Amino acid sequence: IQGDRLLVAGGRRPFTDKLGLENAGVTVDDRGRVPVNHDFQTNVSSIYAIGDVIPGIMLAHKAEEEAVVCVERIMGIGAHVNYDAIPDVVYTEPEIAAVGKTEKQLKEAGIPYKKGKFPYSANGRAKALNATKGFVKILAHEQTDRILGAQIIGTRAGDLIAELAVAVEFGAASEDIARSSHAHPTLAEIVKEAALAVDNRTLNMRDATGVLMASGRPHRHMASSVHRSWWHLEQGCGLARSHPAHSFRNVGGCGLIP
């Protein structure tokens, strides 16, 4: 990697030392953070804290969600913050974005998972923008297909991660994204293709011989039109989804089950 400048970020800390918290009787931990309970209430019952002054990642949108939930709970409205669905974005070039769990975290927790990965280089809009470096990766539970996490490196990653954050929040499956129409040509199609790659059935990536590829392997099912292929195969062969596993069952006997 070549560059003109090197920026070293040694970490951040909350600026709580000049807030006069000690005068109000509010305690802080050894790092200057304000401990709170699930209602964001400090040790002083009439004082609440959210955002960068409490433990957790320091993100403006995370603080915004905490502020809303804090006020709602004060008003007696049941609400909570799903921290797994809070996206994290690094505004570099290319951008880096993530939501939910990483592969390392899933492995350490012993959670079985499958992944789909799709490169910017196989996307038409990325080519038009001359922004073909990067990828979208989606991690889904091996049995239920529920999306557990996602990572993106590439142009507009901070915008693309929003769709996946919603998916994590609603407990969506990778197939839910794969079966949702994405406008063409857009970078959002990379997210759809990554979701399709979870099940090894990408639509728009070929190898040097012209064979459709899925996660680096030849596609198992072919059709004359890439964009019509799966719809015709499913309709013609009587394939239907079985919820909640979001898998296919073959009711037509043609043996094209992914």
Side-chain angles (χ1 to χ4, degrees):
I1 299 176
Q2 295 182 344
D4 298 322
R5 298 288 188 274
L6 175 63
L7 175 64
V8 179
R12 294 181 292 169
R13 63 181 180 83
F15 287 106
T16 54
D17 53 339
K18 296 181 180 180
L19 294 179
L21 297 179
E22 65 280 0
N23 299 328
V26 177
T27 60
V28 297
D29 62 17
D30 56 354
R31 298 179 60 183
R33 301 174 303 184
V34 180
V36 295
N37 61 18
H38 66 284
D39 292 323
F40 300 101
Q41 190 176 45
T42 68
N43 64 298
V44 179
S45 61
S46 60
I47 299 177
Y48 297 76
I50 55 92
D52 292 355
V53 300
I54 69 173
I57 54 178
M58 293 181 174
L59 298 170
H61 48 282
K62 174 253 194 186
E64 180 180 321
E65 296 301 320
E66 290 175 338
V68 172
V69 170
C70 176
V71 173
E72 288 181 333
R73 293 185 74 88
I74 290 174
M75 297 176 64
I77 300 173
H80 74 285
V81 177
N82 180 3
Y83 289 101
D84 277 340
I86 299 292
D88 193 0
V89 183
V90 181
Y91 296 98
T92 51
E93 179 55 45
E95 288 185 7
I96 303 171
V99 68
K101 305 299 184 183
T102 64
E103 285 196 72
K104 181 180 179 181
Q105 291 173 325
L106 294 176
K107 289 177 181 177
E108 290 176 347
I111 299 174
Y113 71 94
K114 51 187 177 179
K115 66 179 178 181
K117 189 175 180 180
F118 196 81
Y120 273 61
S121 59
N123 174 263
R125 185 63 179 272
K127 291 179 180 180
L129 294 173
N130 194 26
T132 56
K133 295 181 180 179
F135 62 85
V136 174
K137 180 169 67 173
I138 295 177
L139 307 173
H141 196 282
E142 190 173 65
Q143 278 81 46
T144 66
D145 195 38
R146 180 174 180 171
I147 295 176
L148 304 174
Q151 296 82 43
I152 304 175
I153 297 177
T155 298
R156 313 305 296 184
D159 297 324
L160 297 178
I161 200 67
E163 176 180 4
L164 293 163
V166 172
V168 172
E169 177 66 38
F170 280 84
S174 69
E175 188 179 353
D176 292 324
I177 293 179
R179 288 183 171 275
S180 298
S181 178
H182 290 61
H184 175 78
T186 61
L187 295 177
E189 290 179 285
I190 308 174
V191 177
K192 176 184 177 75
E193 291 279 9
L196 284 164
V198 171
D199 196 39
N200 294 324
R201 55 191 187 99
T202 54
L203 297 176
N204 293 289
M205 187 163 60
R206 298 171 181 268
D207 65 11
T209 65
V211 175
L212 282 174
M213 300 294 291
S215 298
R217 297 186 297 275
H219 204 297
R220 288 176 287 176
H221 315 305
M222 300 297 297
S224 58
S225 171
V226 171
H227 292 284
R228 298 196 306 267
S229 60
W230 277 99
W231 186 88
H232 284 301
L233 287 173
E234 291 164 11
Q235 296 299 312
C237 299
L239 294 175
R241 282 190 289 175
S242 56
H243 190 76
H246 292 275
S247 60
F248 290 104
R249 57 185 175 87
N250 185 355
V251 297
C254 66
L256 291 175
I257 301 177

